[in-house]
Amino acid sequence: MTFELDIKKALRCGGEEFLLSARFTTEDRAIVLFGPSGSGKTLTLQAIAGMLTPDEGYIRINGTTLYDADNGINIPTRKRRVGYVFQNYALFPHLTVRENIGFGLKPLLGNISDENRERVQELVATFGLERVAEQKPSALSGGQQQRAALARALAPSPDILLLDEPFSALDQPLRIRMREELSSTLQQFDIPMILVTHDSDEVESFAQSVAVYRNGLVESVHSAQDIARSGRDIGETVRQKAAEFYP
């Protein structure tokens, strides 16, 4: 995968201005955006998904331009072929697990096709959700909610998976288990991903490359492979960065 991003976005909140200035390029399939809360990581993810329009710059995945300010290109979210897992999972509370998973496969008018209904059933089985498939999200555990959100994001067969701090709502033992499940899912579906986190352990678990954010700026970009050649690991590198954030 080739991922290219160079964007700027000025935002105002409570009378203060925040400037996002994110720029990095990588050919790695597992990218982590790392940094403290409020540093611009989620804004970058939203820009990739088309939920936030930058003021200038470009976003390209595998040579396909999703956004280019200079050339007037801004592909709508629904056509970007990205799967998005929100921090709080954002499952529709009035829909069952099965209906949530199939939401992106159902036409605006009419019923879901037989082919897509089979796709939903496959995902229900793959994520071990058979027993809760007809239940609403409020009846699910945190792990089940995450599995349902992942299944929904993967249902339309996206080109890339975007994950916004997917483990932050889980307690520590479940967080460790769900990291292992996500790693297995990424391998099974063979899909590139961009993950947002401020947890160095998650960087160590997933990152082939990591973009380090601070105050809206991509401060540095690190390759896990290059770091390994120097005799260190990427977890150690970002922990050192975290110590700079919180002296």
Side-chain angles (χ1 to χ4, degrees):
M1 182 185 79
T2 301
F3 182 81
E4 304 167 89
L5 179 141
D6 186 353
I7 58 172
K8 291 185 178 180
K9 177 68 175 181
L11 298 158
R12 295 196 69 84
C13 181
E16 295 185 1
E17 184 173 278
F18 178 85
L19 177 62
L20 172 67
S21 181
R23 179 181 182 182
F24 61 92
T25 299
T26 181
E27 294 186 356
D28 289 324
R29 290 171 58 84
I31 307 163
V32 173
L33 312 185
F34 172 80
S37 298
S39 58
K41 308 181 301 297
T42 294
L43 292 175
T44 300
L45 213 65
Q46 291 173 348
I48 297 167
M51 298 156 54
L52 175 78
T53 302
D55 297 326
E56 56 184 272
Y58 58 81
I59 303 170
R60 303 186 188 111
I61 300 178
N62 289 332
T64 298
T65 299
L66 303 183
Y67 173 80
D68 189 322
D70 290 343
N71 293 295
I73 299 172
N74 190 13
I75 304 299
T77 298
R78 65 184 181 279
K79 294 184 178 181
R80 291 200 180 194
R81 295 190 56 78
V82 300
Y84 199 115
V85 177
F86 294 86
Q87 183 174 352
N88 62 356
Y89 309 134
L91 296 169
F92 300 111
H94 62 291
L95 300 181
T96 66
V97 168
R98 188 184 303 279
E99 290 167 340
N100 264 283
I101 294 172
F103 183 81
L105 300 175
K106 186 178 180 298
L108 187 61
L109 299 174
N111 298 317
I112 190 170
S113 68
D114 290 342
E115 180 182 359
N116 285 335
R117 190 175 289 107
E118 289 180 11
R119 168 71 171 166
V120 171
Q121 182 55 38
E122 289 173 2
L123 288 166
V124 166
T126 297
F127 284 90
L129 296 168
E130 296 99 325
R131 288 189 302 150
V132 297
E134 308 310 324
Q135 294 185 22
K136 303 288 179 64
S138 60
L140 307 184
S141 68
Q144 289 169 334
Q145 288 185 37
Q146 186 186 83
R147 292 189 196 106
L150 269 170
R152 182 179 66 181
L154 291 166
S157 300
D159 293 332
I160 191 168
L161 183 63
L162 309 179
L163 302 114
D164 188 3
E165 300 199 42
F167 309 106
S168 63
L170 307 177
D171 59 35
Q172 186 66 16
L174 183 56
R175 189 178 305 177
I176 293 170
R177 194 179 87 204
M178 295 309 295
R179 282 181 196 153
E180 294 172 353
E181 288 196 13
L182 176 59
S183 180
S184 176
T185 296
L186 293 172
Q187 292 179 13
Q188 179 179 352
F189 285 85
D190 189 27
I191 185 170
M193 69 105 184
I194 301 177
L195 182 146
V196 163
T197 187
H198 58 260
D199 187 330
S200 61
D201 289 341
E202 291 169 17
V203 176
E204 196 163 14
S205 295
F206 295 103
Q208 294 176 354
S209 65
V210 55
V212 178
Y213 280 67
R214 190 171 189 178
N215 298 325
L217 178 71
V218 174
E219 189 177 74
S220 57
V221 180
H222 305 272
S223 161
Q225 190 174 53
D226 290 345
I227 290 173
R229 290 195 189 104
S230 70
R232 298 178 296 131
D233 63 58
I234 201 160
E236 176 189 352
T237 298
V238 298
R239 277 189 284 273
Q240 291 174 350
K241 286 291 181 183
E244 296 175 11
F245 298 152
Y246 310 108

PDB file of all heavy atoms in Angstrom, residues 88-97 99-100 103 134-140 145 152:
ATOM      1  N   ASN A  88     -16.189   5.075  20.327  1.00  0.00           N
ATOM      2  CA  ASN A  88     -17.277   4.521  21.142  1.00  0.00           C
ATOM      3  C   ASN A  88     -18.125   3.526  20.345  1.00  0.00           C
ATOM      4  O   ASN A  88     -19.226   3.182  20.740  1.00  0.00           O
ATOM      5  CB  ASN A  88     -18.162   5.647  21.679  1.00  0.00           C
ATOM      6  CG  ASN A  88     -18.839   6.447  20.574  1.00  0.00           C
ATOM      7  OD1 ASN A  88     -18.594   6.202  19.384  1.00  0.00           O
ATOM      8  ND2 ASN A  88     -19.693   7.386  20.935  1.00  0.00           N
ATOM      9  N   TYR A  89     -17.586   3.101  19.190  1.00  0.00           N
ATOM     10  CA  TYR A  89     -18.169   2.102  18.288  1.00  0.00           C
ATOM     11  C   TYR A  89     -19.357   2.634  17.487  1.00  0.00           C
ATOM     12  O   TYR A  89     -19.578   2.217  16.361  1.00  0.00           O
ATOM     13  CB  TYR A  89     -18.545   0.815  19.025  1.00  0.00           C
ATOM     14  CG  TYR A  89     -17.412   0.283  19.860  1.00  0.00           C
ATOM     15  CD1 TYR A  89     -17.628  -0.133  21.170  1.00  0.00           C
ATOM     16  CD2 TYR A  89     -16.114   0.213  19.364  1.00  0.00           C
ATOM     17  CE1 TYR A  89     -16.579  -0.601  21.950  1.00  0.00           C
ATOM     18  CE2 TYR A  89     -15.070  -0.244  20.144  1.00  0.00           C
ATOM     19  CZ  TYR A  89     -15.299  -0.641  21.434  1.00  0.00           C
ATOM     20  OH  TYR A  89     -14.274  -1.093  22.202  1.00  0.00           O
ATOM     21  N   ALA A  90     -20.152   3.556  18.049  1.00  0.00           N
ATOM     22  CA  ALA A  90     -21.244   4.220  17.324  1.00  0.00           C
ATOM     23  C   ALA A  90     -22.193   3.226  16.641  1.00  0.00           C
ATOM     24  O   ALA A  90     -22.657   3.467  15.525  1.00  0.00           O
ATOM     25  CB  ALA A  90     -20.670   5.202  16.283  1.00  0.00           C
ATOM     26  N   LEU A  91     -22.487   2.135  17.311  1.00  0.00           N
ATOM     27  CA  LEU A  91     -23.503   1.222  16.789  1.00  0.00           C
ATOM     28  C   LEU A  91     -24.875   1.878  16.899  1.00  0.00           C
ATOM     29  O   LEU A  91     -25.145   2.607  17.851  1.00  0.00           O
ATOM     30  CB  LEU A  91     -23.481  -0.088  17.577  1.00  0.00           C
ATOM     31  CG  LEU A  91     -22.195  -0.918  17.457  1.00  0.00           C
ATOM     32  CD1 LEU A  91     -22.203  -2.040  18.485  1.00  0.00           C
ATOM     33  CD2 LEU A  91     -22.020  -1.470  16.056  1.00  0.00           C
ATOM     34  N   PHE A  92     -25.736   1.617  15.942  1.00  0.00           N
ATOM     35  CA  PHE A  92     -27.077   2.197  15.963  1.00  0.00           C
ATOM     36  C   PHE A  92     -27.906   1.511  17.048  1.00  0.00           C
ATOM     37  O   PHE A  92     -28.157   0.294  16.962  1.00  0.00           O
ATOM     38  CB  PHE A  92     -27.753   2.050  14.607  1.00  0.00           C
ATOM     39  CG  PHE A  92     -27.005   2.737  13.497  1.00  0.00           C
ATOM     40  CD1 PHE A  92     -26.361   2.011  12.509  1.00  0.00           C
ATOM     41  CD2 PHE A  92     -26.926   4.120  13.443  1.00  0.00           C
ATOM     42  CE1 PHE A  92     -25.674   2.630  11.485  1.00  0.00           C
ATOM     43  CE2 PHE A  92     -26.231   4.770  12.428  1.00  0.00           C
ATOM     44  CZ  PHE A  92     -25.601   4.018  11.449  1.00  0.00           C
ATOM     45  N   PRO A  93     -28.354   2.239  18.081  1.00  0.00           N
ATOM     46  CA  PRO A  93     -28.990   1.596  19.231  1.00  0.00           C
ATOM     47  C   PRO A  93     -30.321   0.946  18.915  1.00  0.00           C
ATOM     48  O   PRO A  93     -30.741   0.025  19.624  1.00  0.00           O
ATOM     49  CB  PRO A  93     -29.162   2.754  20.227  1.00  0.00           C
ATOM     50  CG  PRO A  93     -29.153   3.997  19.389  1.00  0.00           C
ATOM     51  CD  PRO A  93     -28.231   3.705  18.243  1.00  0.00           C
ATOM     52  N   HIS A  94     -30.997   1.398  17.852  1.00  0.00           N
ATOM     53  CA  HIS A  94     -32.324   0.862  17.528  1.00  0.00           C
ATOM     54  C   HIS A  94     -32.260  -0.345  16.603  1.00  0.00           C
ATOM     55  O   HIS A  94     -33.295  -0.951  16.298  1.00  0.00           O
ATOM     56  CB  HIS A  94     -33.183   1.956  16.877  1.00  0.00           C
ATOM     57  CG  HIS A  94     -32.627   2.457  15.576  1.00  0.00           C
ATOM     58  ND1 HIS A  94     -31.468   3.193  15.504  1.00  0.00           N
ATOM     59  CD2 HIS A  94     -33.083   2.317  14.298  1.00  0.00           C
ATOM     60  CE1 HIS A  94     -31.228   3.506  14.241  1.00  0.00           C
ATOM     61  NE2 HIS A  94     -32.175   2.976  13.494  1.00  0.00           N
ATOM     62  N   LEU A  95     -31.036  -0.704  16.145  1.00  0.00           N
ATOM     63  CA  LEU A  95     -30.879  -1.836  15.240  1.00  0.00           C
ATOM     64  C   LEU A  95     -30.246  -3.019  15.969  1.00  0.00           C
ATOM     65  O   LEU A  95     -29.482  -2.849  16.914  1.00  0.00           O
ATOM     66  CB  LEU A  95     -29.991  -1.456  14.051  1.00  0.00           C
ATOM     67  CG  LEU A  95     -30.464  -0.310  13.157  1.00  0.00           C
ATOM     68  CD1 LEU A  95     -29.469  -0.094  12.022  1.00  0.00           C
ATOM     69  CD2 LEU A  95     -31.865  -0.584  12.598  1.00  0.00           C
ATOM     70  N   THR A  96     -30.563  -4.228  15.519  1.00  0.00           N
ATOM     71  CA  THR A  96     -29.921  -5.412  16.067  1.00  0.00           C
ATOM     72  C   THR A  96     -28.471  -5.488  15.584  1.00  0.00           C
ATOM     73  O   THR A  96     -28.060  -4.740  14.689  1.00  0.00           O
ATOM     74  CB  THR A  96     -30.654  -6.692  15.625  1.00  0.00           C
ATOM     75  OG1 THR A  96     -30.503  -6.836  14.197  1.00  0.00           O
ATOM     76  CG2 THR A  96     -32.130  -6.643  15.992  1.00  0.00           C
ATOM     77  N   VAL A  97     -27.725  -6.394  16.161  1.00  0.00           N
ATOM     78  CA  VAL A  97     -26.341  -6.611  15.711  1.00  0.00           C
ATOM     79  C   VAL A  97     -26.314  -6.947  14.229  1.00  0.00           C
ATOM     80  O   VAL A  97     -25.532  -6.380  13.454  1.00  0.00           O
ATOM     81  CB  VAL A  97     -25.684  -7.737  16.531  1.00  0.00           C
ATOM     82  CG1 VAL A  97     -24.363  -8.181  15.901  1.00  0.00           C
ATOM     83  CG2 VAL A  97     -25.466  -7.294  17.965  1.00  0.00           C
ATOM     84  N   GLU A  99     -28.511  -6.209  11.935  1.00  0.00           N
ATOM     85  CA  GLU A  99     -28.890  -5.038  11.143  1.00  0.00           C
ATOM     86  C   GLU A  99     -27.775  -3.996  11.119  1.00  0.00           C
ATOM     87  O   GLU A  99     -27.562  -3.323  10.101  1.00  0.00           O
ATOM     88  CB  GLU A  99     -30.176  -4.433  11.699  1.00  0.00           C
ATOM     89  CG  GLU A  99     -31.403  -5.305  11.461  1.00  0.00           C
ATOM     90  CD  GLU A  99     -32.607  -4.861  12.294  1.00  0.00           C
ATOM     91  OE1 GLU A  99     -32.414  -4.150  13.309  1.00  0.00           O
ATOM     92  OE2 GLU A  99     -33.741  -5.251  11.937  1.00  0.00           O
ATOM     93  N   ASN A 100     -27.062  -3.851  12.231  1.00  0.00           N
ATOM     94  CA  ASN A 100     -25.921  -2.942  12.258  1.00  0.00           C
ATOM     95  C   ASN A 100     -24.860  -3.370  11.257  1.00  0.00           C
ATOM     96  O   ASN A 100     -24.343  -2.549  10.496  1.00  0.00           O
ATOM     97  CB  ASN A 100     -25.318  -2.891  13.668  1.00  0.00           C
ATOM     98  CG  ASN A 100     -25.825  -1.726  14.493  1.00  0.00           C
ATOM     99  OD1 ASN A 100     -25.410  -0.589  14.316  1.00  0.00           O
ATOM    100  ND2 ASN A 100     -26.750  -2.018  15.404  1.00  0.00           N
ATOM    101  N   PHE A 103     -25.821  -2.647   7.692  1.00  0.00           N
ATOM    102  CA  PHE A 103     -26.291  -1.288   7.391  1.00  0.00           C
ATOM    103  C   PHE A 103     -25.676  -0.732   6.108  1.00  0.00           C
ATOM    104  O   PHE A 103     -26.377  -0.150   5.273  1.00  0.00           O
ATOM    105  CB  PHE A 103     -25.977  -0.354   8.561  1.00  0.00           C
ATOM    106  CG  PHE A 103     -26.483   1.039   8.366  1.00  0.00           C
ATOM    107  CD1 PHE A 103     -27.809   1.348   8.628  1.00  0.00           C
ATOM    108  CD2 PHE A 103     -25.651   2.053   7.903  1.00  0.00           C
ATOM    109  CE1 PHE A 103     -28.299   2.639   8.438  1.00  0.00           C
ATOM    110  CE2 PHE A 103     -26.121   3.334   7.712  1.00  0.00           C
ATOM    111  CZ  PHE A 103     -27.446   3.637   7.982  1.00  0.00           C
ATOM    112  N   GLU A 134     -29.457 -11.077  17.138  1.00  0.00           N
ATOM    113  CA  GLU A 134     -30.769 -10.425  17.130  1.00  0.00           C
ATOM    114  C   GLU A 134     -30.944  -9.473  18.311  1.00  0.00           C
ATOM    115  O   GLU A 134     -32.040  -8.963  18.545  1.00  0.00           O
ATOM    116  CB  GLU A 134     -31.876 -11.477  17.134  1.00  0.00           C
ATOM    117  CG  GLU A 134     -31.750 -12.534  16.041  1.00  0.00           C
ATOM    118  CD  GLU A 134     -31.543 -11.948  14.648  1.00  0.00           C
ATOM    119  OE1 GLU A 134     -32.134 -10.883  14.358  1.00  0.00           O
ATOM    120  OE2 GLU A 134     -30.800 -12.552  13.849  1.00  0.00           O
ATOM    121  N   GLN A 135     -29.886  -9.231  19.052  1.00  0.00           N
ATOM    122  CA  GLN A 135     -29.966  -8.316  20.189  1.00  0.00           C
ATOM    123  C   GLN A 135     -29.528  -6.907  19.798  1.00  0.00           C
ATOM    124  O   GLN A 135     -28.845  -6.699  18.798  1.00  0.00           O
ATOM    125  CB  GLN A 135     -29.094  -8.831  21.340  1.00  0.00           C
ATOM    126  CG  GLN A 135     -29.585 -10.145  21.929  1.00  0.00           C
ATOM    127  CD  GLN A 135     -28.767 -10.572  23.142  1.00  0.00           C
ATOM    128  OE1 GLN A 135     -28.132  -9.752  23.789  1.00  0.00           O
ATOM    129  NE2 GLN A 135     -28.795 -11.856  23.452  1.00  0.00           N
ATOM    130  N   LYS A 136     -29.925  -5.926  20.621  1.00  0.00           N
ATOM    131  CA  LYS A 136     -29.543  -4.528  20.410  1.00  0.00           C
ATOM    132  C   LYS A 136     -28.186  -4.274  21.087  1.00  0.00           C
ATOM    133  O   LYS A 136     -27.791  -5.003  22.004  1.00  0.00           O
ATOM    134  CB  LYS A 136     -30.607  -3.600  20.988  1.00  0.00           C
ATOM    135  CG  LYS A 136     -32.021  -3.823  20.435  1.00  0.00           C
ATOM    136  CD  LYS A 136     -32.137  -3.348  19.006  1.00  0.00           C
ATOM    137  CE  LYS A 136     -33.550  -3.607  18.448  1.00  0.00           C
ATOM    138  NZ  LYS A 136     -34.599  -2.847  19.153  1.00  0.00           N
ATOM    139  N   PRO A 137     -27.467  -3.261  20.663  1.00  0.00           N
ATOM    140  CA  PRO A 137     -26.133  -2.982  21.218  1.00  0.00           C
ATOM    141  C   PRO A 137     -26.103  -2.832  22.735  1.00  0.00           C
ATOM    142  O   PRO A 137     -25.107  -3.191  23.370  1.00  0.00           O
ATOM    143  CB  PRO A 137     -25.741  -1.673  20.524  1.00  0.00           C
ATOM    144  CG  PRO A 137     -26.457  -1.722  19.214  1.00  0.00           C
ATOM    145  CD  PRO A 137     -27.771  -2.383  19.514  1.00  0.00           C
ATOM    146  N   SER A 138     -27.185  -2.314  23.332  1.00  0.00           N
ATOM    147  CA  SER A 138     -27.199  -2.093  24.785  1.00  0.00           C
ATOM    148  C   SER A 138     -27.072  -3.388  25.572  1.00  0.00           C
ATOM    149  O   SER A 138     -26.704  -3.383  26.751  1.00  0.00           O
ATOM    150  CB  SER A 138     -28.481  -1.370  25.201  1.00  0.00           C
ATOM    151  OG  SER A 138     -29.625  -2.137  24.847  1.00  0.00           O
ATOM    152  N   ALA A 139     -27.371  -4.528  24.930  1.00  0.00           N
ATOM    153  CA  ALA A 139     -27.307  -5.821  25.614  1.00  0.00           C
ATOM    154  C   ALA A 139     -25.942  -6.484  25.463  1.00  0.00           C
ATOM    155  O   ALA A 139     -25.719  -7.560  26.023  1.00  0.00           O
ATOM    156  CB  ALA A 139     -28.390  -6.750  25.062  1.00  0.00           C
ATOM    157  N   LEU A 140     -25.016  -5.853  24.748  1.00  0.00           N
ATOM    158  CA  LEU A 140     -23.734  -6.467  24.442  1.00  0.00           C
ATOM    159  C   LEU A 140     -22.652  -6.057  25.437  1.00  0.00           C
ATOM    160  O   LEU A 140     -22.692  -4.972  26.015  1.00  0.00           O
ATOM    161  CB  LEU A 140     -23.269  -6.066  23.040  1.00  0.00           C
ATOM    162  CG  LEU A 140     -24.224  -6.293  21.870  1.00  0.00           C
ATOM    163  CD1 LEU A 140     -23.546  -5.929  20.565  1.00  0.00           C
ATOM    164  CD2 LEU A 140     -24.712  -7.732  21.839  1.00  0.00           C
ATOM    165  N   GLN A 145     -19.457  -5.485  21.403  1.00  0.00           N
ATOM    166  CA  GLN A 145     -19.695  -4.245  20.675  1.00  0.00           C
ATOM    167  C   GLN A 145     -18.555  -3.964  19.704  1.00  0.00           C
ATOM    168  O   GLN A 145     -18.777  -3.539  18.570  1.00  0.00           O
ATOM    169  CB  GLN A 145     -19.856  -3.079  21.658  1.00  0.00           C
ATOM    170  CG  GLN A 145     -21.158  -3.090  22.426  1.00  0.00           C
ATOM    171  CD  GLN A 145     -21.321  -1.863  23.301  1.00  0.00           C
ATOM    172  OE1 GLN A 145     -20.930  -0.766  22.934  1.00  0.00           O
ATOM    173  NE2 GLN A 145     -21.873  -2.057  24.484  1.00  0.00           N
ATOM    174  N   ARG A 152     -19.204  -4.476  10.982  1.00  0.00           N
ATOM    175  CA  ARG A 152     -19.919  -3.461  10.188  1.00  0.00           C
ATOM    176  C   ARG A 152     -18.960  -2.715   9.272  1.00  0.00           C
ATOM    177  O   ARG A 152     -19.260  -2.460   8.098  1.00  0.00           O
ATOM    178  CB  ARG A 152     -20.645  -2.488  11.102  1.00  0.00           C
ATOM    179  CG  ARG A 152     -21.448  -1.431  10.343  1.00  0.00           C
ATOM    180  CD  ARG A 152     -22.179  -0.486  11.274  1.00  0.00           C
ATOM    181  NE  ARG A 152     -21.255   0.336  12.068  1.00  0.00           N
ATOM    182  CZ  ARG A 152     -21.656   1.223  12.975  1.00  0.00           C
ATOM    183  NH1 ARG A 152     -22.950   1.387  13.220  1.00  0.00           N
ATOM    184  NH2 ARG A 152     -20.772   1.918  13.658  1.00  0.00           N
TER     185      ARG A 152
END
